[in-house]
């Protein structure tokens, strides 16, 4: 039995059109995200086999593979919920106040996160995250699903910058796709994640 499961989408595949086509969203969820879930489960099984046999010759590769797939599963699970056909506009309340305090303005956050997402070299993510040591929001530019991350941060808003997220529709113009993402952001979901993260840490 698997330890991780593919979550249902919170909306239909075509619900985010025209910003993101139903074709992209279906492939992204049913193929790419599903592959990360399977990869995490398969790697856990191989780690269990390694323990059973006490054969750890492949451990370095297994640990790397597990981190990749688990992080892919986590980020995509957040990504679907961060977006909504009714999204867009701007955050308010405590999240808005924290953004103003930690970035200067919503526009400054928008520019930094857009740039972080648009300029990832190769595959990766732009992420707004809660950083508990300094108790502030930060932007992270993640490589693959897990590189370049400050440990112990909690993602609250994630933008997928992998080519599979936009290439069928936006071709090589990643910044146009990122601009459209802002019109889909479900700020209620981001606010809930921010409130929970800043309450725990
Ligand atoms: Mn993706």
């Amino acid at each position: 039995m698997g330890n991780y499961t593919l979550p249902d989408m919170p909306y239909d595949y075509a619900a985010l059109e025209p910003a993101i086509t139903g074709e992209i969203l279906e492939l992204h969820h049913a193929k790419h995200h599903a592959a990360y879930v399977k990869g995490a489960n398969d790697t856990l099984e191989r780690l269990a086999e390694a323990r059973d046999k006490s054969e750890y010759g492949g451990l370095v590769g297994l640990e790397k593979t597990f981190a990749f797939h688990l992080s892919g599963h986590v980020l995509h699970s957040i990504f679907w919920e961060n977006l909504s056909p009714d999204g867009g506009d701007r955050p308010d309340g405590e999240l808005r106040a924290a953004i103003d305090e930690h970035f200067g303005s919503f526009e400054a956050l928008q520019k930094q996160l857009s740039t972080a997402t648009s300029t990832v070299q190769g595959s990766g993510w732009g992420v707004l995250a809660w950083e508990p040591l300094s108790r502030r929001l930060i932007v992270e530019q993640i490589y693959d699903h897990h590189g370049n991350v400050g440990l112990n941060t909690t993602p609250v808003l994630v933008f997928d910058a992998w080519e599979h997220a936009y290439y069928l529709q936006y071709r090589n113009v990643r910044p146009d796709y990122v601009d459209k993402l802002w019109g889909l952001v479900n700020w209620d979901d981001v606010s809930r994640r921010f409130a929970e993260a800043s309450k725990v840490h």
Side-chain angles (χ1 to χ4, degrees):
M1 186 180 157
N3 293 272
Y4 303 104
T5 53
L6 182 67
D8 290 334
M9 290 291 280
Y11 35 77
D12 293 340
Y13 288 132
L16 303 184
E17 291 184 352
I20 301 175
T21 65
E23 182 190 22
I24 288 180
L25 220 55
E26 181 167 4
L27 285 167
H28 201 165
H29 175 257
K31 302 296 181 187
H32 292 278
H33 187 172
Y36 301 130
V37 172
K38 183 177 187 307
N41 287 326
D42 287 353
T43 312
L44 271 189
E45 274 181 33
R46 292 173 66 196
L47 283 163
E49 284 168 24
R51 282 194 299 277
D52 288 346
K53 297 175 186 166
S54 200
E55 285 177 6
Y56 289 105
L59 187 69
V60 170
L62 289 175
E63 295 288 5
K64 211 168 183 177
T65 301
F66 184 64
F68 175 84
H69 288 294
L70 173 62
S71 303
H73 174 38
V74 168
L75 283 170
H76 285 91
S77 299
I78 298 170
F79 186 50
W80 311 135
E81 294 187 358
N82 275 170
L83 305 180
S84 163
D86 305 316
D89 209 358
R90 287 166 180 231
D92 50 21
E94 290 184 18
L95 176 59
R96 178 59 190 256
I99 288 170
D100 286 344
E101 185 185 346
H102 302 144
F103 293 94
S105 66
F106 178 73
E107 289 72 21
L109 161 69
Q110 212 168 18
K111 194 164 184 185
Q112 186 175 344
L113 182 53
S114 285
T115 305
T117 309
S118 298
T119 62
V120 171
Q121 294 177 329
S123 299
W125 298 73
V127 170
L128 174 66
W130 175 251
E131 197 290 286
L133 284 185
S134 62
R135 297 192 55 76
R136 61 174 296 148
L137 290 163
I138 60 167
V139 166
E140 297 188 299
Q141 186 178 53
I142 296 180
Y143 286 89
D144 293 329
H145 301 305
H146 53 316
N148 218 29
V149 176
L151 281 182
N152 209 27
T153 59
T154 303
V156 297
L157 174 62
V158 302
F159 284 170
D160 192 338
W162 283 56
E163 287 186 347
H164 67 224
Y166 66 89
Y167 209 89
L168 287 175
Q169 187 175 1
Y170 293 91
R171 309 293 291 265
N172 57 314
V173 193
R174 196 192 293 172
D176 285 0
Y177 152 74
V178 176
D179 282 347
K180 290 289 189 342
L181 283 179
W182 286 105
L184 299 171
V185 174
N186 179 348
W187 289 110
D188 288 343
D189 180 67
V190 180
S191 294
R192 181 182 60 74
R193 292 176 187 280
F194 166 69
E196 282 177 12
S198 55
K199 187 171 63 187
V200 175
H201 301 296

